[in-house]
Amino acid sequence: MKRRLIITIPIMLVVFLVANSYLGKAYTEVPEGTRILIVLGGTLLSGIISYFLFKPDGEKS
């Protein structure tokens, strides 16, 4: 579980930073509150997906 979190948290951080930057530059007409919700949703979704994709070495799929 610890290995999963070590990989998942940086992925979430990268998604947050890239999405926030992209939405801030390309979609300035979207209200800031809505942009934050979109970024947080994408960050959470990417974290959940990466957490389940990076299984520990002992588990077989």
Side-chain angles (χ1 to χ4, degrees), residues 33-47:
T34 304
R35 282 195 312 243
I36 291 173
L37 289 175
I38 292 169
V39 169
L40 290 176
T43 301
L44 185 62
L45 184 64
S46 71

Side-chain angles (χ1 to χ4, degrees), residues 1-15:
M1 182 172 149
K2 191 172 185 177
R3 179 179 176 267
R4 286 170 135 178
L5 289 177
I6 291 173
I7 295 172
T8 301
I9 292 174
I11 289 173
M12 291 175 68
L13 184 62
V14 168
V15 168

Side-chain angles (χ1 to χ4, degrees), residues 21-52:
S21 172
Y22 183 75
L23 286 175
K25 290 179 185 174
Y27 295 99
T28 56
E29 66 273 3
V30 177
E32 189 171 344
T34 304
R35 282 195 312 243
I36 291 173
L37 289 175
I38 292 169
V39 169
L40 290 176
T43 301
L44 185 62
L45 184 64
S46 71
I48 292 170
I49 290 171
S50 63
Y51 181 80
F52 287 111

